[in-house]
Structures are given as structure tokens and as C-alpha cells.
């Protein structure tokens, strides 16, 4: 019987964003999404079975804060309710990138945890079932199970599916950190507020359907400029919807705005680079693998950028060792 397992999962950045829920209990996305898993956004998690009467959760070397610990305990409970886990566990998870600053750390975090739990469970869990289980922790985690370019459709119990394998993807991202403090409003809270108060929520859902279709077609024909254009427009539409909530949520800072402008400037200089932004101030520049170095230089020289790094396509979650 496996007692202890170490796993690795990569976070992903969406080209078509998941934003809004159909059902909170089942964590059903209101929009279908498409993402790229990235090798420098990696989480390593060690899960050990314990005889203790409670779960212990350590993140980046410290006890998890109350809210995070509760969220993870609830998630473990779901595995116990489904008879996929018995007893309690000790979790020690480390992110190799700034946590909760809009860099999808919940994607790699829950993908890693689900992968470890499936290894500890005595049942053989199929990858698609694992993606569904990861979705209960965080919508974007469903896509990190699969890796590469992955799509998570809408539906009554969706799982992510592979669209393009990591080694077949010819573009990556330059990640610009425009502020690494934990975000003020969690995406869970913001999605709720958006649905109940943003006058643009319905328009966002409708636009997102068109973007998803168009992105699938652009990926199929490897039309990089169209992929970039749709991704940038989709991210800005999501933020338009977020900005219009009441009270308003502004995830951006002045560096974010400078970086959106930079993407335009880089393009006018003849390099195809497109900006995408999750629920935080950081900006990811999507560009061909051959252009990553040149884009990194431009991004690093932008005032306000704390740090910038290259992120290349990565695969799905994986078990590193067990005993
Ligand atoms: O997976 P969650 O619940 O943290 O939501 C992710 C939301 C975005 O990162 C903004 C978009 C996405 O599709 O990853």
C-alpha cells in the first residue's frame, strides 16, 4: 500500500478564460476555457497518510492560513465522502512562483493534490475522472491534470481534454510580475460578484462562446496571430466585466496598464506578442518560442516590473516518487 507520494503539476494560463460559475456546489464553469500549461509555474506536493485524527496542511514551508486550510480540508472531505480516501493526511506543498497573485497557483496546487490523492487511493482513477475531481478544488486545476493546450468545456460534469500535446506547441509566454502580493478579492468571490452585479456578465458569456469556437479553429490551423488576438481580446473582455461589478474590482495597477501598452508597441515593431491577464496585476505575453528572448528583454526593461521570466509549454501532472 502506498503511504507517501510526491507529485508535480504545472499551472496553466488560459487563452480563453474561465470566468463565472453555473453551479457553485459542483464548481461548474459558466464559460468553456482553453489554456497552456507552463513549465516555470510548478508546484511540488508531498502527501503522507497519517494516523492522526486531523489533516495537516503546510504551504511553502508554513502552516496554511485559516481560509486556505479550510478550503483544502473541504476538498479532502469530498474525497472521503466518495470513498476515495480513508483517514487523514499530511500535505506539504511548495509553489515555485508567487502564490495567489493571479498566477493560477490554485490550478497547479489542486492538480498536484488530486494527483497525489488518486495515487494514495486504492482505486484506479482514469485521467478524465481525475480532471473532474481536480475541478472541484479549482476550475483551472482540471486543465493542469491534462497539460499542454487543454480545453475545459461547460456541461453537467465536465473534464478537461487535451487539444495539443506540450511538445507540439510552438509558442510560450513571458510572465511579467507587476506586483506579487496576494490578491484582495479571490477569483471565487469576484466571479460571484460579477454574476450578480456586473451589467456586462451576459455579454461576457456570449462573447466567450464565440471566442472559444474561434480559438479552437485558430489552434487547429496553427494561426498564431489569430490565437494571440483572440486571447488578448478575451482577457480584456473578462476584465471589462470585472471592472463593472458593483462595488468595482480592479485587479490592475499602473504597471499592468504599461504592459498592455507594451504588447501593442512590441507588435508595431514587428514581433507578434499578445497580452493576457488573470485575476491579478501580472501580465503574460504570448509569443512564438523563437521570440521569447526578445520579448523578455523588452518586458524586463519596463518600469514597475519586479521580475519577468520565460515559461514554455509543459505536460500534465505527474508522480515523482512514492513509497
Ligand atoms: O481556477 P480558479 O477558480 O482560480 O479560476 C481561474 C480564473 C482565471 O484564472 C482568471 C481564468 C482561468 O481560466 O484560469
Amino acid at each position: 500500500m502506498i503511504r507517501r507520494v510526491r507529485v508535480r503539476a504545472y499551472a496553466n494560463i488560459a487563452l480563453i478564460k474561465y470566468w463565472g460559475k453555473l453551479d457553485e456546489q459542483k464548481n461548474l464553469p459558466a464559460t468553456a476555457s482553453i489554456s497552456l500549461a507552463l513549465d516555470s509555474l510548478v508546484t511540488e506536493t508531498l502527501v503522507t497518510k497519517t494516523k492522526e485524527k486531523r489533516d495537516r496542511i503546510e504551504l511553502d514551508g508554513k502552516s496554511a492560513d485559516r481560509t486556505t486550510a479550510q478550503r483544502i480540508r473541504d476538498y479532502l472531505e469530498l474525497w472521503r465522502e466518495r470513498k476515495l480516501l480513508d483517514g487523514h493526511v499530511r500535505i506539504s506543498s511548495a509553489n515555485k512562483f508567487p502564490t495567489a497573485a493571479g498566477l493560477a497557483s490554485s490550478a497547479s496546487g489542486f492538480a498536484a493534490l488530486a494527483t497525489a490523492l488518486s495515487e494514495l487511493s486504492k482505486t484506479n482513477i482514469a485521467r478524465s475522472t481525475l480532471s473532474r475531481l481536480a475541478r472541484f478544488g479549482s476550475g483551472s486545476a482540471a486543465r493542469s491534470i491534462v497539460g499542454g493546450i487543454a480545453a475545459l468545456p461547460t456541461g453537467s460534469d465536465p473534464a478537461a481534454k487535451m487539444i495539443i500535446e506540450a511538445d507540439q506547441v510552438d509558442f510560450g509566454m513571458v510572465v511579467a510580475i507587476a506586483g506579487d502580493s496576494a490578491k484582495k478579492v479571490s477569483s471565487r468571490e469576484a466571479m460571484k460578484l460579477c454574476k450578480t452585479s456586473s451589467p456586462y456578465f451576459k455579454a461576457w458569456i456570449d462573447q466567450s462562446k464565440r471566442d472559444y469556437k474561434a480559438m479552437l479553429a485558430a489552434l487547429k490551423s496553427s494561426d498564431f496571430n489569430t490565437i494571440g488576438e483572440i486571447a488578448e481580446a478575451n482577457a480584456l473582455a473578462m476584465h471589462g466585466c470585472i471592472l463593472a461589478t458593483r462595488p468595482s474590482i480592479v485587479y490592475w495597477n499602473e504597471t499592468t496598464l504599461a504592459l498592455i501598452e507594451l504588447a501593442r508597441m512590441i507588435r508595431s515593431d514587428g514581433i507578434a506578442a499578445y497580452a493576457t491577464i488573470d485575476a491579478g496585476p501580472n501580465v503574460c505575453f504570448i509569443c512564438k518560442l523563437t521570440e521569447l528572448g526578445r520579448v523578455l528583454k523588452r518586458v524586463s526593461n519596463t518600469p514597475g516590473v519586479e521580475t519577468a521570466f520565460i515559461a514554455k509549454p509543459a505536460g500534465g501532472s505527474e508522480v515523482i516518487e512514492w513509497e
Side-chain angles (χ1 to χ4, degrees):
M1 194 180 84
I2 296 175
R3 213 181 55 81
R4 187 178 144 98
V5 57
R6 188 187 296 277
V7 299
R8 181 183 296 143
Y10 302 94
N12 61 74
I13 296 289
L15 303 170
I16 298 296
K17 306 294 184 191
Y18 145 50
W19 193 260
K21 293 185 202 293
L22 284 180
D23 181 304
E24 285 197 33
Q25 219 63 43
K26 297 187 195 142
N27 209 22
L28 296 180
T31 65
S33 56
I34 300 174
S35 64
L36 175 64
L38 296 167
D39 65 353
S40 22
L41 303 181
V42 56
T43 298
E44 267 188 31
T45 302
L46 176 70
V47 181
T48 312
K49 292 203 97 174
T50 155
K51 295 209 162 53
E52 289 179 43
K53 292 273 175 290
R54 52 179 293 225
D55 303 304
R56 286 190 191 276
I57 300 146
E58 195 179 88
L59 299 180
D60 293 322
K62 292 186 292 239
S63 275
D65 65 73
R66 248 191 152 143
T67 319
T68 311
Q70 194 50 51
R71 188 170 167 194
I72 295 172
R73 286 202 178 98
D74 291 347
Y75 186 65
L76 293 170
E77 218 34 63
L78 180 119
W79 280 70
R80 285 191 275 259
E81 274 162 20
R82 293 180 177 217
K83 309 271 178 271
L84 294 169
L85 173 72
D86 52 350
H88 293 271
V89 289
R90 230 173 32 233
I91 299 170
S92 170
S93 190
N95 284 331
K96 305 280 160 55
F97 55 95
T99 306
L103 272 181
S105 56
S106 64
S108 50
F110 277 103
L113 180 56
T115 305
L117 294 175
S118 86
E119 208 58 23
L120 291 178
S121 86
K122 289 166 213 126
T123 28
N124 209 348
I125 298 175
R127 206 101 183 131
S128 56
T129 307
L130 185 56
S131 171
R132 282 191 185 94
L133 283 163
R135 195 199 73 229
F136 282 95
S138 158
S140 52
R143 302 184 311 236
S144 276
I145 295 291
V146 177
I149 292 189
L152 178 65
T154 50
S156 59
D157 190 15
K161 53 185 179 210
M162 165 78 70
I163 301 284
I164 307 177
E165 299 262 6
D167 61 3
Q168 300 297 311
V169 180
D170 67 350
F171 59 89
M173 297 194 193
V174 169
V175 180
I177 306 298
D180 68 355
S181 53
K183 60 188 166 207
K184 291 182 202 86
V185 189
S186 70
S187 41
R188 191 165 282 211
E189 285 308 309
M191 283 186 201
K192 222 190 282 177
L193 196 59
C194 238
K195 189 173 176 180
T196 53
S197 77
S198 178
Y200 305 137
F201 190 72
K202 190 181 174 302
W204 153 250
I205 300 289
D206 293 343
Q207 184 58 44
S208 158
K209 280 186 195 144
R210 292 189 286 269
D211 288 345
Y212 181 75
K213 259 193 164 161
M215 180 61 83
L216 286 176
L219 286 166
K220 202 165 177 193
S221 56
S222 301
D223 178 354
F224 179 71
N225 288 351
T226 306
I227 292 169
E229 276 165 22
I230 302 168
E232 187 172 296
N234 180 266
L236 294 176
M238 178 188 82
H239 280 276
C241 182
I242 295 171
L243 285 163
T245 56
R246 297 176 187 206
S248 178
I249 299 167
V250 185
Y251 281 121
W252 298 354
N253 60 28
E254 58 183 355
T255 309
T256 315
L257 285 167
L259 289 168
I260 294 170
E261 184 55 30
L262 179 69
R264 284 159 204 216
M265 269 154 37
I266 295 178
R267 287 203 290 276
S268 68
D269 294 340
I271 303 172
Y274 299 87
T276 186
I277 311 163
D278 276 352
N282 306 319
V283 181
C284 297
F285 290 76
I286 308 159
C287 65
K288 284 282 180 84
L289 294 176
T290 47
E291 302 283 19
L292 285 167
R294 286 213 285 174
V295 173
L296 177 66
K297 219 179 235 169
R298 297 284 296 266
V299 170
S300 305
N301 288 337
T302 304
V305 170
E306 291 170 14
T307 164
F309 55 89
I310 285 173
K312 294 183 182 163
S317 57
E318 57 199 353
V319 174
I320 311 170
E321 57 182 34
W322 67 92
E323 59 173 62

